[in-house]
Amino acid sequence: QLACPLDLGCHSVTKGQLNLIDLAGSERLALSGATGKAKEETQHINTSLFTLSKVISALANKASHVPYRDSALTRLLQPCLGGDAKTLMFVNVSPLPEHFGESVNSLRFATQVNACEVGTAKRKVGAASSSQ
């Protein structure tokens, strides 16, 4: 929350929220060799990322229903993906040949996200309180 210094004569406050979210990459279960709890966690990650891709597709296609409730991840990200938000995605890829397939999948997902237009971020300005 930022407020203008009193000596500038400003009487408004601009509020914002910054969310930094590290999305774990999807993994191929057959390649990872994960078992037990690690296998279960990998399956949950992959399901959440699949649901996120469905949400992104629904937003990009301006669908009447966006499946935010299909996973905890998309429920948490809903305010970040709505019309009042500005969303930026960084994608890390590996230069190693053995990770080529995963890097291509990450870039495809980023391309899909980049094609999604959810609207223009809106500024939220309110009156400054006298306690500031």
CSV table of all heavy atoms in Angstrom, one decimal, residues 27-69:
chain,number,residue,atom,x,y,z
A,27,GLU,N,6.3,-33.8,-14.4
A,27,GLU,CA,7.2,-34.8,-14.5
A,27,GLU,C,6.6,-36.0,-15.2
A,27,GLU,O,5.4,-36.3,-14.9
A,27,GLU,CB,7.8,-35.2,-13.2
A,27,GLU,CG,8.7,-34.2,-12.5
A,27,GLU,CD,9.3,-34.7,-11.3
A,27,GLU,OE1,9.6,-35.9,-11.2
A,27,GLU,OE2,9.6,-33.9,-10.4
A,28,ARG,N,7.3,-36.7,-16.0
A,28,ARG,CA,6.9,-38.0,-16.5
A,28,ARG,C,7.2,-39.0,-15.5
A,28,ARG,O,8.3,-39.3,-15.1
A,28,ARG,CB,7.6,-38.3,-17.8
A,28,ARG,CG,7.6,-37.2,-18.9
A,28,ARG,CD,6.4,-37.4,-19.8
A,28,ARG,NE,6.4,-36.4,-20.8
A,28,ARG,CZ,5.4,-35.6,-21.0
A,28,ARG,NH1,4.4,-35.6,-20.2
A,28,ARG,NH2,5.4,-34.7,-22.0
A,29,LEU,N,6.1,-39.7,-15.0
A,29,LEU,CA,6.3,-40.7,-14.0
A,29,LEU,C,7.2,-41.8,-14.4
A,29,LEU,O,8.1,-42.3,-13.6
A,29,LEU,CB,5.0,-41.3,-13.6
A,29,LEU,CG,4.2,-40.5,-12.5
A,29,LEU,CD1,2.8,-41.1,-12.3
A,29,LEU,CD2,5.0,-40.4,-11.2
A,30,ALA,N,7.1,-42.2,-15.7
A,30,ALA,CA,8.0,-43.3,-16.1
A,30,ALA,C,9.5,-42.9,-16.1
A,30,ALA,O,10.3,-43.7,-15.8
A,30,ALA,CB,7.6,-43.7,-17.6
A,31,LEU,N,9.7,-41.7,-16.4
A,31,LEU,CA,11.1,-41.2,-16.5
A,31,LEU,C,11.7,-40.9,-15.1
A,31,LEU,O,12.9,-41.1,-14.8
A,31,LEU,CB,11.3,-40.0,-17.3
A,31,LEU,CG,11.0,-40.2,-18.8
A,31,LEU,CD1,11.1,-38.8,-19.6
A,31,LEU,CD2,12.0,-41.2,-19.5
A,32,SER,N,10.8,-40.4,-14.2
A,32,SER,CA,11.3,-40.0,-12.9
A,32,SER,C,11.6,-41.2,-12.0
A,32,SER,O,12.4,-41.1,-11.1
A,32,SER,CB,10.3,-39.1,-12.2
A,32,SER,OG,9.1,-39.8,-11.8
A,33,GLY,N,10.8,-42.3,-12.2
A,33,GLY,CA,11.0,-43.5,-11.3
A,33,GLY,C,10.5,-43.3,-9.9
A,33,GLY,O,10.8,-44.0,-9.0
A,34,ALA,N,9.6,-42.3,-9.7
A,34,ALA,CA,9.1,-41.9,-8.4
A,34,ALA,C,8.2,-43.1,-7.9
A,34,ALA,O,7.4,-43.7,-8.7
A,34,ALA,CB,8.3,-40.6,-8.5
A,35,THR,N,8.3,-43.3,-6.6
A,35,THR,CA,7.4,-44.3,-6.0
A,35,THR,C,6.9,-43.8,-4.7
A,35,THR,O,7.4,-42.8,-4.2
A,35,THR,CB,8.2,-45.6,-5.7
A,35,THR,OG1,9.3,-45.3,-4.9
A,35,THR,CG2,8.7,-46.3,-7.0
A,36,GLY,N,5.9,-44.4,-4.1
A,36,GLY,CA,5.3,-44.0,-2.8
A,36,GLY,C,4.8,-42.6,-2.8
A,36,GLY,O,4.1,-42.1,-3.7
A,37,LYS,N,5.2,-41.8,-1.8
A,37,LYS,CA,4.8,-40.4,-1.6
A,37,LYS,C,5.2,-39.5,-2.7
A,37,LYS,O,4.5,-38.6,-3.1
A,37,LYS,CB,5.3,-39.9,-0.3
A,37,LYS,CG,4.5,-40.4,0.9
A,37,LYS,CD,4.2,-39.3,1.9
A,37,LYS,CE,3.4,-39.8,3.1
A,37,LYS,NZ,2.1,-39.3,3.0
A,38,ALA,N,6.5,-39.8,-3.2
A,38,ALA,CA,7.0,-38.9,-4.3
A,38,ALA,C,6.1,-39.1,-5.6
A,38,ALA,O,5.8,-38.2,-6.3
A,38,ALA,CB,8.4,-39.3,-4.6
A,39,LYS,N,5.7,-40.4,-5.8
A,39,LYS,CA,4.8,-40.6,-7.0
A,39,LYS,C,3.5,-39.9,-6.8
A,39,LYS,O,3.0,-39.3,-7.7
A,39,LYS,CB,4.6,-42.1,-7.1
A,39,LYS,CG,3.7,-42.5,-8.2
A,39,LYS,CD,3.5,-44.0,-8.3
A,39,LYS,CE,2.5,-44.4,-9.4
A,39,LYS,NZ,2.3,-45.8,-9.5
A,40,GLU,N,2.9,-40.0,-5.6
A,40,GLU,CA,1.6,-39.4,-5.3
A,40,GLU,C,1.7,-37.8,-5.5
A,40,GLU,O,0.9,-37.2,-6.1
A,40,GLU,CB,1.2,-39.7,-3.9
A,40,GLU,CG,-0.2,-39.3,-3.5
A,40,GLU,CD,-0.5,-39.8,-2.1
A,40,GLU,OE1,-0.2,-40.9,-1.7
A,40,GLU,OE2,-1.1,-39.0,-1.4
A,41,GLU,N,2.8,-37.2,-5.0
A,41,GLU,CA,3.0,-35.8,-5.1
A,41,GLU,C,3.2,-35.4,-6.6
A,41,GLU,O,2.6,-34.4,-7.0
A,41,GLU,CB,4.3,-35.4,-4.4
A,41,GLU,CG,4.5,-33.9,-4.4
A,41,GLU,CD,5.7,-33.5,-3.6
A,41,GLU,OE1,6.1,-34.1,-2.6
A,41,GLU,OE2,6.3,-32.4,-3.9
A,42,THR,N,3.9,-36.2,-7.4
A,42,THR,CA,4.1,-35.9,-8.8
A,42,THR,C,2.7,-36.0,-9.5
A,42,THR,O,2.4,-35.1,-10.3
A,42,THR,CB,5.0,-37.0,-9.4
A,42,THR,OG1,6.3,-36.8,-8.8
A,42,THR,CG2,5.2,-36.7,-10.9
A,43,GLN,N,1.9,-36.9,-9.1
A,43,GLN,CA,0.5,-37.0,-9.7
A,43,GLN,C,-0.3,-35.8,-9.4
A,43,GLN,O,-1.0,-35.3,-10.3
A,43,GLN,CB,-0.2,-38.3,-9.3
A,43,GLN,CG,0.4,-39.6,-9.9
A,43,GLN,CD,-0.1,-40.8,-9.2
A,43,GLN,OE1,-0.4,-40.9,-8.0
A,43,GLN,NE2,-0.1,-41.9,-10.0
A,44,HIS,N,-0.2,-35.3,-8.2
A,44,HIS,CA,-1.0,-34.1,-7.8
A,44,HIS,C,-0.5,-32.9,-8.5
A,44,HIS,O,-1.3,-32.1,-9.0
A,44,HIS,CB,-0.9,-33.9,-6.2
A,44,HIS,CG,-1.7,-34.8,-5.4
A,44,HIS,ND1,-3.1,-34.8,-5.5
A,44,HIS,CD2,-1.4,-35.8,-4.5
A,44,HIS,CE1,-3.5,-35.8,-4.7
A,44,HIS,NE2,-2.5,-36.3,-4.1
A,45,ILE,N,0.9,-32.8,-8.7
A,45,ILE,CA,1.4,-31.6,-9.4
A,45,ILE,C,0.9,-31.7,-10.8
A,45,ILE,O,0.5,-30.7,-11.4
A,45,ILE,CB,3.0,-31.7,-9.3
A,45,ILE,CG1,3.4,-31.3,-7.9
A,45,ILE,CG2,3.6,-30.7,-10.4
A,45,ILE,CD1,4.9,-31.6,-7.7
A,46,ASN,N,1.0,-32.8,-11.5
A,46,ASN,CA,0.6,-32.9,-12.9
A,46,ASN,C,-0.9,-32.6,-13.0
A,46,ASN,O,-1.3,-32.0,-14.0
A,46,ASN,CB,0.9,-34.3,-13.4
A,46,ASN,CG,2.4,-34.6,-13.6
A,46,ASN,OD1,3.2,-33.6,-13.6
A,46,ASN,ND2,2.8,-35.8,-13.7
A,47,THR,N,-1.7,-33.1,-12.1
A,47,THR,CA,-3.2,-32.8,-12.1
A,47,THR,C,-3.4,-31.3,-12.0
A,47,THR,O,-4.2,-30.7,-12.7
A,47,THR,CB,-3.9,-33.6,-11.0
A,47,THR,OG1,-3.7,-35.0,-11.2
A,47,THR,CG2,-5.4,-33.3,-11.0
A,48,SER,N,-2.7,-30.7,-11.1
A,48,SER,CA,-2.9,-29.2,-10.9
A,48,SER,C,-2.5,-28.4,-12.1
A,48,SER,O,-3.1,-27.5,-12.5
A,48,SER,CB,-2.1,-28.7,-9.6
A,48,SER,OG,-2.6,-29.3,-8.5
A,49,LEU,N,-1.3,-28.8,-12.7
A,49,LEU,CA,-0.9,-28.1,-13.9
A,49,LEU,C,-1.8,-28.3,-15.1
A,49,LEU,O,-2.1,-27.4,-15.9
A,49,LEU,CB,0.5,-28.5,-14.3
A,49,LEU,CG,1.6,-28.0,-13.3
A,49,LEU,CD1,3.0,-28.6,-13.6
A,49,LEU,CD2,1.7,-26.5,-13.2
A,50,PHE,N,-2.4,-29.5,-15.2
A,50,PHE,CA,-3.4,-29.8,-16.2
A,50,PHE,C,-4.6,-28.9,-16.0
A,50,PHE,O,-5.1,-28.3,-17.0
A,50,PHE,CB,-3.7,-31.3,-16.2
A,50,PHE,CG,-4.8,-31.6,-17.2
A,50,PHE,CD1,-4.6,-31.5,-18.6
A,50,PHE,CD2,-6.1,-32.0,-16.8
A,50,PHE,CE1,-5.6,-31.8,-19.5
A,50,PHE,CE2,-7.1,-32.2,-17.7
A,50,PHE,CZ,-6.8,-32.2,-19.1
A,51,THR,N,-5.1,-28.8,-14.8
A,51,THR,CA,-6.2,-28.0,-14.5
A,51,THR,C,-5.9,-26.5,-14.8
A,51,THR,O,-6.7,-25.8,-15.3
A,51,THR,CB,-6.6,-28.1,-13.0
A,51,THR,OG1,-6.9,-29.5,-12.8
A,51,THR,CG2,-7.9,-27.3,-12.7
A,52,LEU,N,-4.7,-26.1,-14.4
A,52,LEU,CA,-4.3,-24.7,-14.8
A,52,LEU,C,-4.3,-24.5,-16.3
A,52,LEU,O,-4.8,-23.4,-16.7
A,52,LEU,CB,-2.9,-24.4,-14.2
A,52,LEU,CG,-2.3,-23.0,-14.5
A,52,LEU,CD1,-3.2,-21.9,-13.9
A,52,LEU,CD2,-0.9,-22.9,-13.9
A,53,SER,N,-3.9,-25.4,-17.0
A,53,SER,CA,-3.9,-25.3,-18.5
A,53,SER,C,-5.4,-25.2,-19.0
A,53,SER,O,-5.7,-24.5,-19.9
A,53,SER,CB,-3.2,-26.4,-19.2
A,53,SER,OG,-3.8,-27.6,-19.1
A,54,LYS,N,-6.3,-26.0,-18.4
A,54,LYS,CA,-7.7,-25.9,-18.7
A,54,LYS,C,-8.3,-24.5,-18.4
A,54,LYS,O,-9.1,-23.9,-19.2
A,54,LYS,CB,-8.6,-26.9,-18.0
A,54,LYS,CG,-8.3,-28.3,-18.5
A,54,LYS,CD,-9.3,-29.4,-18.0
A,54,LYS,CE,-9.8,-29.2,-16.6
A,54,LYS,NZ,-10.6,-30.3,-16.1
A,55,VAL,N,-7.9,-23.9,-17.3
A,55,VAL,CA,-8.3,-22.6,-16.9
A,55,VAL,C,-7.8,-21.6,-17.9
A,55,VAL,O,-8.6,-20.7,-18.4
A,55,VAL,CB,-7.9,-22.2,-15.4
A,55,VAL,CG1,-8.1,-20.8,-15.2
A,55,VAL,CG2,-8.7,-23.1,-14.4
A,56,ILE,N,-6.5,-21.7,-18.2
A,56,ILE,CA,-5.9,-20.7,-19.2
A,56,ILE,C,-6.7,-20.8,-20.5
A,56,ILE,O,-7.0,-19.8,-21.2
A,56,ILE,CB,-4.4,-21.0,-19.4
A,56,ILE,CG1,-3.7,-20.8,-18.1
A,56,ILE,CG2,-3.8,-20.2,-20.5
A,56,ILE,CD1,-3.6,-19.4,-17.6
A,57,SER,N,-6.9,-22.1,-21.0
A,57,SER,CA,-7.7,-22.3,-22.2
A,57,SER,C,-9.1,-21.7,-22.2
A,57,SER,O,-9.5,-21.0,-23.1
A,57,SER,CB,-7.8,-23.8,-22.6
A,57,SER,OG,-6.5,-24.3,-22.9
A,58,ALA,N,-9.7,-21.9,-21.1
A,58,ALA,CA,-11.1,-21.3,-20.9
A,58,ALA,C,-11.1,-19.8,-21.0
A,58,ALA,O,-11.9,-19.1,-21.6
A,58,ALA,CB,-11.7,-21.8,-19.6
A,59,LEU,N,-10.1,-19.2,-20.3
A,59,LEU,CA,-9.9,-17.7,-20.4
A,59,LEU,C,-9.6,-17.2,-21.8
A,59,LEU,O,-10.1,-16.2,-22.2
A,59,LEU,CB,-8.8,-17.3,-19.4
A,59,LEU,CG,-9.2,-17.4,-17.9
A,59,LEU,CD1,-8.0,-17.2,-17.0
A,59,LEU,CD2,-10.3,-16.5,-17.5
A,60,ALA,N,-8.7,-17.9,-22.4
A,60,ALA,CA,-8.3,-17.5,-23.8
A,60,ALA,C,-9.4,-17.6,-24.8
A,60,ALA,O,-9.6,-16.8,-25.7
A,60,ALA,CB,-7.1,-18.4,-24.3
A,61,ASN,N,-10.3,-18.6,-24.6
A,61,ASN,CA,-11.4,-18.8,-25.5
A,61,ASN,C,-12.7,-18.1,-25.0
A,61,ASN,O,-13.7,-18.2,-25.6
A,61,ASN,CB,-11.7,-20.3,-25.6
A,61,ASN,CG,-10.6,-21.1,-26.2
A,61,ASN,OD1,-10.0,-20.6,-27.1
A,61,ASN,ND2,-10.4,-22.3,-25.8
A,62,LYS,N,-12.5,-17.3,-23.9
A,62,LYS,CA,-13.6,-16.5,-23.4
A,62,LYS,C,-14.9,-17.4,-23.1
A,62,LYS,O,-16.0,-17.1,-23.4
A,62,LYS,CB,-14.0,-15.3,-24.2
A,62,LYS,CG,-12.8,-14.4,-24.4
A,62,LYS,CD,-13.2,-13.1,-25.0
A,62,LYS,CE,-12.1,-12.1,-25.2
A,62,LYS,NZ,-10.8,-12.2,-24.5
A,63,ALA,N,-14.6,-18.6,-22.5
A,63,ALA,CA,-15.6,-19.6,-22.2
A,63,ALA,C,-16.6,-19.0,-21.1
A,63,ALA,O,-16.2,-18.2,-20.3
A,63,ALA,CB,-15.0,-20.9,-21.8
A,64,SER,N,-17.8,-19.5,-21.2
A,64,SER,CA,-18.8,-19.1,-20.2
A,64,SER,C,-18.5,-19.6,-18.8
A,64,SER,O,-18.8,-19.1,-17.8
A,64,SER,CB,-20.2,-19.4,-20.6
A,64,SER,OG,-20.3,-20.8,-20.7
A,65,HIS,N,-17.8,-20.8,-18.7
A,65,HIS,CA,-17.4,-21.4,-17.5
A,65,HIS,C,-15.9,-21.6,-17.4
A,65,HIS,O,-15.3,-22.1,-18.3
A,65,HIS,CB,-18.1,-22.7,-17.3
A,65,HIS,CG,-17.6,-23.5,-16.1
A,65,HIS,ND1,-17.8,-23.1,-14.8
A,65,HIS,CD2,-16.8,-24.6,-16.0
A,65,HIS,CE1,-17.3,-23.9,-14.0
A,65,HIS,NE2,-16.6,-24.9,-14.7
A,66,VAL,N,-15.3,-21.1,-16.4
A,66,VAL,CA,-13.8,-21.3,-16.2
A,66,VAL,C,-13.7,-22.2,-14.9
A,66,VAL,O,-14.2,-21.8,-13.9
A,66,VAL,CB,-13.1,-19.9,-15.9
A,66,VAL,CG1,-11.6,-20.1,-15.7
A,66,VAL,CG2,-13.4,-19.0,-17.1
A,67,PRO,N,-13.0,-23.3,-15.1
A,67,PRO,CA,-13.0,-24.3,-14.0
A,67,PRO,C,-12.0,-24.0,-12.9
A,67,PRO,O,-11.1,-24.8,-12.6
A,67,PRO,CB,-12.6,-25.6,-14.8
A,67,PRO,CG,-11.8,-25.1,-15.9
A,67,PRO,CD,-12.4,-23.8,-16.3
A,68,TYR,N,-12.1,-22.9,-12.3
A,68,TYR,CA,-11.2,-22.5,-11.2
A,68,TYR,C,-11.3,-23.5,-10.0
A,68,TYR,O,-10.3,-23.8,-9.3
A,68,TYR,CB,-11.6,-21.1,-10.6
A,68,TYR,CG,-11.2,-20.0,-11.5
A,68,TYR,CD1,-12.2,-19.2,-12.1
A,68,TYR,CD2,-9.9,-19.7,-11.8
A,68,TYR,CE1,-11.9,-18.1,-12.9
A,68,TYR,CE2,-9.6,-18.6,-12.6
A,68,TYR,CZ,-10.6,-17.8,-13.2
A,68,TYR,OH,-10.3,-16.7,-14.0
A,69,ARG,N,-12.5,-24.1,-9.7
A,69,ARG,CA,-12.7,-24.9,-8.6
A,69,ARG,C,-12.1,-26.3,-8.7
A,69,ARG,O,-12.2,-27.1,-7.8
A,69,ARG,CB,-14.2,-25.0,-8.3
A,69,ARG,CG,-14.7,-23.7,-7.8
A,69,ARG,CD,-16.2,-23.8,-7.5
A,69,ARG,NE,-16.6,-22.8,-6.6
A,69,ARG,CZ,-17.7,-22.8,-5.9
A,69,ARG,NH1,-18.5,-23.8,-6.0
A,69,ARG,NH2,-18.1,-21.8,-5.1
